Amino acid sequence: EVQLLESGGGLVQPGGSLRLSCAASGFTFSSYAMTWVRQAPGKGLEWVSIISDSGDLRYYADFVKGRFTISRDNSKNTLYLQLNSLRAEDTALYYCARKPGVNERVFDYWGQGTLVTVSS
Amino acid sequence: SYELTQPPSVSVSPGQTASIACSGDKLGDKYVCWYQQKPGQSPVLVIYQNNNRPSGIPERFSGSSSGNTATLTISGTQAIDEADYYCQAWDSTTSYVFGTGTKVTVL
């Protein structure tokens, strides 16, 4: 069974940093691209970033503007998102999700999310 | 940037058909997928590549796409289908894009 378990969220002051983690199990993690999607309270889904299976390709939404960094450790079956220079508008539930195939631009399994709250 | 627009809400009676539109420039030239999200839960993929259902998704869910609009159709809607639904596509300028979301209410 595919499982994705996010952690690392919490309350942080504006300008602060957090590192989110997503522990994967039930599939060959190193064979899949992985992504982060966020959802502000009461709002819709917003794509954040994606990383290739090997980790050599990374893409970000425009609003990230160099503040976030996606990475992965295939030896630990874990995906990461480093959040820096956080703003109030970054407050959201952050989901990790799996991209099923090279030519598939869809996300087939999602974690339960980890909440990031940016507030003074 | 590329945008996908959905109606904020759709109401349907049990057993009837619900249709949710997703509009975007030349959307018919792209693959569209749909996610269902129930309150307090993570999104679930219900349609991919316009009209394919993942394993375990009921046959009452179907999709289509043409021109500037993609449509998710729920036939014989049940109370358990009450949820938010999001379309999603990929665009070369914006990468992954989600629609604005539609709340389906089963009256």
Side-chain angles (χ1 to χ4, degrees):
Chain A
E1 177 190 7
V2 172
Q3 291 194 344
L4 299 170
L5 185 62
E6 300 94 335
S7 61
L11 176 63
V12 61
Q13 292 187 342
S17 298
L18 278 177
R19 189 176 83 154
L20 308 184
S21 299
C22 170
S25 61
F27 65 102
T28 304
F29 181 70
S30 59
S31 296
Y32 292 85
M34 298 293 295
T35 196
W36 288 97
V37 175
R38 72 182 186 181
Q39 186 170 34
K43 302 298 184 181
L45 301 172
E46 183 175 43
W47 176 74
V48 176
S49 180
I50 193 166
I51 187 168
S52 62
D53 53 1
S54 63
D56 58 344
L57 296 175
R58 312 173 191 201
Y59 300 95
Y60 300 93
D62 287 345
F63 68 81
V64 169
K65 295 182 180 177
R67 300 182 300 127
F68 298 172
T69 301
I70 192 171
S71 62
R72 64 191 297 160
D73 186 337
N74 286 344
S75 68
K76 296 182 178 179
N77 290 344
T78 303
L79 172 72
Y80 303 101
L81 186 67
Q82 177 68 40
L83 309 175
N84 296 330
S85 302
L86 283 163
R87 308 165 179 166
E89 54 266 35
D90 296 319
T91 293
L93 188 62
Y94 285 73
Y95 295 102
C96 67
R98 189 182 81 166
K99 181 176 175 293
V102 174
N103 296 318
E104 300 276 1
R105 286 165 175 159
V106 63
F107 310 126
D108 61 349
Y109 287 95
W110 298 60
Q112 86 294 339
T114 186
L115 182 62
V116 172
T117 303
V118 184
S119 175
S120 55
Chain B
S1 64
Y2 194 77
E3 296 180 352
L4 296 175
T5 301
Q6 300 178 233
S9 63
V10 167
S11 296
V12 60
S13 299
Q16 298 304 302
T17 297
S19 295
I20 306 165
C22 172
S23 299
D25 185 49
K26 298 180 182 178
L27 186 56
D29 294 341
K30 308 177 188 298
Y31 277 136
V32 177
C33 61
W34 293 87
Y35 302 91
Q36 175 195 68
Q37 186 180 33
K38 296 182 179 180
Q41 297 184 21
S42 304
V44 173
L45 179 67
V46 294
I47 292 289
Y48 67 97
Q49 288 184 354
N50 297 336
N51 57 10
N52 293 289
R53 281 178 292 104
S55 174
I57 300 302
E59 291 183 5
R60 63 180 181 273
F61 289 90
S62 62
S64 62
S65 183
S66 179
N68 294 325
T69 303
T71 303
L72 174 68
T73 301
I74 312 174
S75 304
T77 307
Q78 301 181 10
I80 58 172
D81 300 328
E82 191 163 280
D84 293 330
Y85 291 84
Y86 295 90
C87 59
Q88 180 244 302
W90 183 89
D91 175 76
S92 60
T93 61
T94 311
S95 198
Y96 295 88
V97 182
F98 288 95
T100 50
T102 298
K103 181 178 180 62
V104 171
T105 301
V106 182
L107 299 173

